[in-house]
Amino acid sequence: MTLLRQTIGTGEGAIGAAILSLLILIAVFASVLCPGDPLNIAGPPLTPPFTQGSLPLGTDSLGRDLLAGVVHGTRTSLSVGLAAAAAAMAFGVCIGLAAGFSGGIVDEALMRLVDAFQIVPGFLLALAFVSVAGSSAHVIVIAIALGAWAGPARLMRAQVLSIREREYVAAARVIGAGPAEIVFKEILPNALPPVLSLSAIIVAAAILTESALSFLGLSDPNVVTWGSMMSEGRNVLRSATWLSIFPGLALLTTVIGIYLLGEGVTKAIGRGRPGS
C-alpha cells in the first residue's frame, strides 16, 4: 500500500493509474456497457461514426458494432497482457532466485537457459509457439510469457547476488536461520521491488504482442481483439479509416497508461531507497 500511495503521488503514476483504472472498469463491465455478442451484426456495413445514436462509432465491413468491439477488446487485451506478465514475472523471479542463491553449477545451468531464451526475439518465439500449438487464449498467454521471463530472471539473479552477501543475511545465518527462511524473509522482500519495476514494460509488451498476433490472424476467431479489428480495417483503410483508428487509439491509450504507471513505480522505488 505504501508503494501504491507513493506511485500515485507522482504525476506520471497518477495519470497512468487513472487511465488504467478506467480501462479496467471498462473491461469488467464490458457486458453491461455493450450487452450481447460483439461479433453479431448490429447494422448496415461500414456505417460512418457519429451518424447513428445506437452505433456511435459506426460499424465494420460486416455490420458489427465498432464500439462493442473496442469495449470487449479491452477485456481481451488486459486479461492476456496481465496474465502473460504475471506468468513471466513469477517464473523469472523463481529462476533468478534459485540461480542467485544456489550459485555454482545450478547458477551456470540456469543462466545458460536464460541466454538461450534471450537470443530469440520474444515476438518470433511467440509467433512460432502459437503457430505450432494453436491460437487459444491460454496458448497465447504461455507464448508471450516464454519470450518475457528471461529479463526478470536476470535482474532477480543480480539482486540476489548483491543481497546475499550483506550483513543482515550473514546475521540470519549466524543465528541459525535455514536456507528457506533466509530466502523468503531476508532476500526476496529486498530483491523484489526493482524487479517489479519491469512489470509495466512486460505488460505493455505483452499487450502489443497479443495485438500483433491477432493482426496476423493468430488469435481465437471467436474473441474480438484490437489487433483483429485493425487487421480487418486495413482492407478498407482509405474508405473507412475509422475501422483502424478507434482500436488503434485504444491500444495506444493502454500502452501509454501502463508506461506512465511504470514510470511512477520506478520513481516511488527510487525515493524509498536509502540516500534518495
Side-chain angles (χ1 to χ4, degrees):
M1 293 300 294
T2 302
L3 179 60
L4 179 60
R5 287 194 296 268
Q6 292 176 346
T7 300
I8 296 177
T10 64
E12 298 91 338
I15 297 173
I19 293 174
L20 288 182
S21 297
L22 177 61
L23 291 172
I24 290 172
L25 288 175
I26 291 174
V28 171
F29 296 103
S31 299
V32 177
L33 296 173
C34 297
D37 189 349
L39 296 176
N40 289 338
I41 305 300
L46 299 179
T47 300
F50 314 118
T51 58
Q52 292 189 23
S54 59
L55 300 168
L57 297 186
T59 60
D60 63 7
S61 57
L62 296 178
R64 296 173 296 193
D65 187 358
L66 201 64
L67 176 61
V70 171
V71 168
H72 285 265
T74 305
R75 175 183 293 176
T76 303
S77 294
L78 287 182
S79 60
V80 170
L82 291 174
M89 291 293 293
F91 189 65
V93 165
C94 291
I95 294 296
L97 189 61
F101 187 75
S102 300
I105 190 172
V106 174
D107 181 23
E108 189 69 21
L110 291 177
M111 284 301 100
R112 297 296 75 77
L113 179 65
V114 170
D115 291 339
F117 274 86
Q118 284 193 315
I119 289 173
V120 183
F123 177 72
L124 293 182
L125 183 60
L127 182 64
F129 189 85
V130 171
S131 299
V132 173
S135 56
S136 66
H138 295 89
V139 171
I140 292 176
V141 168
I142 295 173
I144 296 174
L146 282 176
W149 69 270
R154 188 171 291 279
L155 180 57
M156 188 67 183
R157 172 182 176 268
Q159 291 294 315
V160 173
L161 288 176
S162 173
I163 293 173
R164 72 176 186 177
E165 303 300 331
R166 295 185 181 177
E167 294 180 357
Y168 58 84
V169 176
R173 291 194 183 100
V174 170
I175 63 175
E181 186 177 359
I182 293 174
V183 167
F184 291 106
K185 287 188 176 181
E186 305 294 341
I187 295 179
L188 185 59
N190 293 287
L192 197 56
V195 182
L196 290 179
S197 63
L198 287 178
S199 58
I201 298 175
I202 294 177
V203 171
I207 291 176
L208 289 173
T209 301
E210 184 275 331
S211 297
L213 292 173
S214 301
F215 187 84
L216 295 175
L218 296 173
S219 63
D220 188 346
N222 298 315
V223 177
V224 61
T225 65
W226 293 334
S228 61
M229 294 174 68
M230 288 187 284
S231 178
E232 293 168 3
R234 65 178 175 175
N235 297 321
V236 288
L237 190 60
R238 292 187 177 181
S239 58
T241 313
W242 68 86
L243 297 186
S244 296
I245 287 180
F246 289 121
L249 287 176
L251 178 61
L252 178 62
T253 302
T254 303
V255 172
I256 290 176
I258 294 171
Y259 170 78
L260 291 175
L261 184 62
E263 285 291 303
V265 171
T266 302
K267 286 187 176 181
I269 292 175
R271 290 176 182 177
R273 290 175 180 171
S276 60

